[in-house]
Amino acid sequence: MTFKKTFYKRKLPTPPAVEFSSPEGRQIFQEAIAEGHMVGFFKLMEQFNTQDEPAFCGISSLTMVLNALAIDPRRPWKGAWRWFHEAMLDCCLPLEHVKKEGITLTQA
C-alpha cells in the first residue's frame, strides 16, 4: 500500500513545542497544577473533541470552549441532547467553505 501526500503523527517543531506526554511535558503539567494554573484545564478536557475535518481546528476548539462553559446552544444536537458540535457552527461561513479554505479567528 502506497501513501502519497499523507500525514501520520507529524513531529512537533521542538523547540518551541513540547509533547504533552513526554517527560518534559509531564513535568511542565505537574508544575502548572502545583502553581494553580490549571483550573480551566479539566473543564476543557471533559469536552475534548477531535476535529472532524482537517480545517476545523478553530471550529472544534470553539465547540470545546462553548461546551466547557456550559453554554446552552438552545437547539438539539442529536435526539434530545443540546450540545455544541462542529456541524452547528455554520453561522459565519458555510462549512463547505471552511472545509476547503479554513477559517481565521476574525471570521469566526
Side-chain angles (χ1 to χ4, degrees):
M1 182 179 277
T2 303
F3 295 102
K4 294 181 181 179
K5 296 183 181 180
T6 64
F7 300 102
Y8 177 73
K9 296 182 113 180
R10 294 178 70 180
K11 287 297 256 177
L12 293 170
T14 307
V18 176
E19 289 186 28
F20 188 61
S21 61
S22 71
E24 183 182 1
R26 289 193 302 271
Q27 179 64 37
I28 292 169
F29 183 76
Q30 289 171 348
E31 289 171 4
I33 287 176
E35 294 171 10
H37 302 301
M38 299 299 287
V39 175
F41 173 79
F42 297 100
K43 285 287 186 189
L44 282 171
M45 287 302 97
E46 289 175 349
Q47 307 305 324
F48 184 80
N49 180 45
T50 302
Q51 63 202 56
D52 289 346
E53 296 286 336
F56 279 12
C57 52
I59 292 174
S60 184
S61 297
L62 183 56
T63 61
M64 285 177 56
V65 170
L66 291 169
N67 288 326
L69 292 171
I71 295 174
D72 187 345
R74 309 186 106 192
R75 62 179 170 154
W77 163 56
K78 289 186 179 183
W81 293 96
R82 290 193 319 267
W83 207 253
F84 280 101
H85 182 267
E86 296 166 339
M88 298 168 72
L89 298 179
D90 59 353
C91 59
C92 304
L93 288 173
L95 292 178
E96 286 302 315
H97 173 83
V98 177
K99 280 184 189 179
K100 294 176 188 167
E101 304 292 327
I103 190 169
T104 66
L105 184 58
T106 56
Q107 292 171 318

